[in-house]
Amino acid sequence: MRLRIRASLGKRRRDLASLLLVVLLAAALRLGRSDVVEYFHDDAMLATLALELADGQRFPLTGILSSTGIPNSPVSVYFLALPFALFSDPAVVIHFVMIWNALGVALLWLLARWHCGWRIALFAGLAYAVNPWAVLFSRKIWAQELHTPIIILGLLLLLKGFWELRDSGRRARSVAVSQSLGLPILLFGLQFHFAAWPLALLIPVSFWLGRRRLHIGAVLAAVALSTAVCAPYALGLAQTLESDPARISDAMARSVGSRPQFSSASLSATLRLAAGAGLEYWLAPDQVADITAGFTPLLPLAFALIPLIALGIGAAIAQMRSFAWLILIWAFLPSLLLIVEWTPVYIHYFIPSIPALALLVGIGLDRVLRLAARSYALQTLVCLSFALILALQIQAWHAALGYVDRRHVNYPGFTTPLSKLLPLRDALSAVDDVVVLAPGMAWNLHHEVAVWDTLLWDSAKCARTIVPAGYAVFPNQAFAALMAPGAPQGRLTDLYRNESAKSFPTREGGREYTLYRWSAAPAWHDSSIHPIAPQRFANGIRLTGYRWQDDQIALEWLLPARQTGEDLQYSAQAYAADGTRLAQLDARFWHGRHWCEGDRLLTFGPLVQQESARSLTIALYKLRKGKEAEGYINVELLDEMDRPTRQSVAIRIAAGNG
């Protein structure tokens, strides 16, 4: 009896030690140099939606747009809303993502321990903890970097509830709970990214294999919870298609092109993920030779993991029966479905398969050790070789991380690390109003918008992004002007420069940010704006003046508070005395998400002057599309009693303005 107790305690200590080793190694790599992470467009847009949800501003039914143009599921927003409710700083929430993925390594260890034994659990856990691709895709606010632990948890519960396990003495209640939760949790995780959807095949497979053990009540609960999990996205997609019926068909047409082609790109990506090699082609595709100069020449030894995986496949099929099919579907189905390349293939599509590949490494290594059971020296050599591969991967990861932190990398390589943005964020922390001068100002297209909106969420009362080409904004109080790399140069940009310039470099070879402080808005240095009696539109915008000179029309507006989603066009039309239209300008108005109450906005656009012009007509309108015929809807003008009066402002041309 005592011997059994001692043996049981020994096993528990061994398991605990191996689990701690795996988790601590995973956490060290994921949390190490936590400021050298990307915080770019998708990350910042996702953070924006999560912050808005956490603040109770809106409840989204879709997430950000996918690369195909179809909106993603909102589950990533819901998931991130919790940490953002506690910490509104993205630099803090990134640590939550890192810790979450370290827990994902623990979940893989647990799955392997239950179904394959302690040794395979240790090998698989180490392979997953150290894999450079797994580490890279565990370190930023990106939907693809959130779902893998959830998928592992869902699979763990499906296995516990439906698959044949060694522990046949489990309580029926535990099985019922697993059957109730496994399906909705897995469906929640699969929604994070389209590329994970093929793994839904594991659901009917699990139900079929566990059909004799089904608890009707648990299955009904699973269906109800799964419906609740999928309902928001289903409703969001329905709304999207109602407003834009051709969204999915257009996306498929763009993805497929003329016709799908056979390609090995998906299999090549899976092999690189399995070996933990090729990271340089993702991080710095234009500087591969430079970045790999810091790698140990022995790194190609990591490809020895591929034969181990092949051996693991054979061992799993021979010894683990139905469990082998789960691993194979998990590891290879997403890449096999993309051999016919109906959409461009990216390596991050296969992030959920990395744990399964690590599990096959563990099974293969265990098989080698079993074959070498009679030779302690050979077993030692195999284990040391495996440890060397892991060490080489760790070294390559640190070398790559140091390179992208130090050297500028051209897009689509590793973008400006958060470590280079935080000093600038700290310099802006005492400023209530910020104007970001950038190459673009559309939230869904240009990264500076979402990046600075979220980094300044708690500090600036109003942070707006503007392109100093066609637009100029004048805050009604002290503000800071932040000039981003790539901002257009010209007289509108020069308007925001002064002697207070302070530069914030990014990386060697990269461009810098420049910060200017203003105690009051700069004066418009061109010809004066001719004032008119303020004309109030229904959305709160007021037209207060104009200037038409040198074939360019400038309009002066007084803005209301921010109105996210209010994306307008404006029109300026010149007429002769007899009502003949002589010239017309239609242009995009400044996005409503950038408006700050009391700001003065100038818009500029080309409008050819005509000597016979006697009046101008100015209007604001929204473009319309969807089930209704494409067209536009004018924004009404209001009188003093807030009654709609007309749809445009008529201005008699003043002397010197035409």
Side-chain angles (χ1 to χ4, degrees):
M1 185 67 178
R2 290 181 180 179
L3 291 176
R4 289 182 180 179
I5 293 174
R6 287 180 182 177
S8 177
L9 289 175
K11 290 180 180 179
R12 290 181 181 179
R13 289 170 183 165
R14 179 197 62 202
D15 287 347
L16 180 60
S18 66
L19 176 60
L20 285 175
L21 173 62
V22 166
V23 172
L24 290 176
L25 187 57
L29 289 172
R30 284 152 181 77
L31 289 163
R33 295 300 308 275
S34 59
D35 57 339
V36 188
V37 297
E38 289 187 289
Y39 189 63
F40 199 58
H41 196 198
D42 285 4
D43 317 64
M45 287 196 297
L46 193 53
T48 302
L49 295 178
L51 281 164
E52 290 174 349
L53 175 57
D55 281 358
Q57 296 182 21
R58 61 172 173 155
F59 186 86
L61 296 177
T62 56
I64 64 175
L65 283 179
S66 70
S67 55
T68 65
I70 302 173
N72 280 302
S73 167
V75 293
S76 54
V77 181
Y78 304 158
F79 184 79
L80 285 170
L82 176 60
F84 271 114
L86 301 173
F87 311 100
S88 57
D89 184 356
V92 176
V93 173
I94 282 173
H95 290 80
F96 170 84
V97 176
M98 296 171 177
I99 293 171
W100 174 244
N101 279 281
L103 291 176
V105 178
L107 288 172
L108 178 67
W109 180 93
L110 184 60
L111 186 151
R113 176 65 186 88
W114 282 1
H115 297 275
C116 306
W118 75 270
R119 192 160 67 177
I120 292 175
L122 174 61
F123 294 151
L126 289 173
Y128 187 32
V130 167
N131 186 300
W133 289 105
V135 177
L136 174 69
F137 293 131
S138 300
R139 288 170 50 87
K140 69 173 186 170
I141 301 171
W142 204 28
Q144 294 92 318
E145 306 201 11
L146 302 172
H147 60 4
T148 306
I150 302 174
I151 291 173
I152 298 174
L153 178 59
L155 290 176
L156 194 60
L157 291 171
L158 284 179
L159 286 167
K160 188 175 179 63
F162 294 105
W163 292 60
E164 181 182 353
L165 305 176
R166 294 180 180 178
D167 181 10
S168 59
R170 292 181 320 281
R171 296 179 180 178
R173 181 180 299 177
S174 175
V175 173
V177 170
S178 298
Q179 290 185 2
S180 300
L181 297 180
L183 177 61
I185 288 176
L186 183 59
L187 286 175
F188 184 80
L190 296 181
Q191 286 185 71
F192 277 71
H193 194 268
F194 294 118
W197 288 7
L199 298 182
L201 178 62
L202 295 170
I203 296 171
V205 171
S206 298
F207 273 76
W208 173 254
L209 291 173
R211 62 191 181 279
R212 296 179 180 177
R213 305 172 58 207
L214 291 178
H215 293 253
I216 299 302
V219 172
L220 292 176
V223 171
L225 290 172
S226 299
T227 302
V229 162
C230 298
Y233 188 37
L235 182 58
L237 271 182
Q239 292 179 353
T240 298
L241 293 176
E242 183 177 4
S243 62
D244 187 2
R247 176 70 66 89
I248 293 179
S249 59
D250 289 348
M252 292 299 295
R254 287 193 300 269
S255 295
V256 174
S258 57
R259 62 178 182 178
Q261 297 182 352
F262 288 93
S263 171
S264 62
S266 61
L267 296 179
S268 174
T270 302
L271 290 177
R272 280 181 283 151
L273 291 176
L279 199 65
E280 60 275 11
Y281 293 96
W282 176 273
L283 295 176
D286 296 335
Q287 295 144 263
V288 170
D290 286 344
I291 192 172
T292 54
F295 290 11
T296 301
L298 292 176
L299 185 60
L301 182 62
F303 280 97
L305 296 178
I306 303 301
L308 275 183
I309 289 175
L311 190 59
I313 292 172
I317 292 174
Q319 301 171 10
M320 300 179 183
R321 295 172 298 181
S322 58
F323 183 63
W325 293 109
L326 175 139
I327 304 173
L328 295 178
I329 292 171
W330 185 5
F332 299 112
L333 182 61
S335 58
L336 289 175
L337 290 178
L338 283 172
I339 290 178
V340 178
E341 195 171 302
W342 52 269
T343 185
V345 173
Y346 301 99
I347 198 167
H348 63 263
Y349 286 0
F350 312 111
I351 294 173
S353 294
I354 301 177
L357 295 170
L359 186 54
L360 288 172
V361 168
I363 295 171
L365 185 57
D366 177 75
R367 180 60 175 166
V368 171
L369 293 178
R370 291 180 184 277
L371 292 174
R374 296 183 179 181
S375 173
Y376 178 77
L378 185 55
Q379 285 187 325
T380 302
L381 178 62
V382 169
C383 290
L384 288 176
S385 299
F386 181 61
L388 176 61
I389 291 173
L390 300 184
L392 291 173
Q393 290 182 331
I394 293 173
Q395 188 273 336
W397 166 250
H398 283 294
L401 199 64
Y403 183 90
V404 297
D405 183 42
R406 184 180 70 258
R407 295 286 302 277
H408 174 74
V409 175
N410 295 324
Y411 186 80
F414 198 93
T415 55
T416 302
L418 189 60
S419 60
K420 311 304 179 186
L421 301 178
L422 292 181
L424 180 51
R425 190 273 305 269
D426 295 341
L428 290 167
S429 61
V431 181
D432 282 340
D433 277 83
V434 178
V435 175
V436 181
L437 310 172
M441 57 189 184
W443 176 81
N444 61 334
L445 296 175
H446 306 109
H447 76 277
E448 300 287 357
V449 179
V451 164
W452 293 108
D453 274 1
T454 51
L455 287 180
L456 300 174
W457 189 270
D458 278 337
S459 55
K461 291 181 180 178
C462 192
R464 56 293 231 185
T465 303
I466 199 164
V467 178
Y471 308 87
V473 66
F474 304 88
N476 63 359
Q477 62 181 348
F479 72 98
L482 173 61
M483 194 169 299
Q489 300 301 306
R491 63 192 184 112
L492 292 180
T493 304
D494 294 340
L495 183 66
Y496 296 92
R497 301 182 192 272
N498 62 21
E499 299 79 14
S500 69
K502 184 177 181 181
S503 297
F504 290 82
T506 52
R507 296 176 286 185
E508 296 174 14
R511 301 172 70 176
E512 62 186 17
Y513 287 88
T514 308
L515 179 63
Y516 302 90
R517 295 182 181 273
W518 290 86
S519 58
W524 174 238
H525 52 64
D526 211 333
S527 301
S528 62
I529 298 293
H530 183 76
I532 64 172
Q535 304 293 306
R536 182 163 61 98
F537 289 85
N539 55 13
I541 295 175
R542 297 173 187 266
L543 178 64
T544 58
Y546 77 101
R547 176 182 60 79
W548 190 17
Q549 188 174 321
D550 299 328
D551 292 336
Q552 184 180 65
I553 187 165
L555 299 173
E556 180 187 63
W557 315 81
L558 190 64
L559 297 176
R562 173 178 177 173
Q563 296 180 22
T564 299
E566 185 75 336
D567 294 337
L568 305 169
Q569 304 285 118
Y570 73 93
S571 173
Q573 302 179 40
Y575 288 90
D578 62 0
T580 302
R581 186 168 60 192
L582 303 173
Q584 179 171 342
L585 165 68
D586 286 276
R588 182 179 291 277
F589 197 73
W590 200 27
H591 299 280
R593 71 176 306 110
H594 301 302
W595 301 348
C596 299
E597 190 166 10
D599 276 4
R600 174 178 169 237
L601 174 70
L602 292 180
T603 59
F604 305 88
L607 191 68
V608 178
Q609 288 179 272
Q610 304 283 344
E611 291 184 3
S612 58
R614 294 294 178 267
S615 66
L616 288 168
T617 298
I618 310 299
L620 288 174
Y621 62 92
K622 300 178 183 179
L623 295 176
R624 182 178 61 187
K625 62 180 180 178
K627 288 185 177 180
E628 302 175 3
E630 292 189 1
Y632 63 90
I633 304 173
N634 281 94
V635 180
E636 300 277 356
L637 282 135
L638 305 179
D639 62 14
E640 294 79 4
M641 302 297 292
D642 291 337
R643 294 174 300 193
T645 58
R646 57 197 187 283
Q647 295 185 337
S648 61
V649 179
I651 303 173
R652 292 181 63 85
I653 297 176
N657 281 276

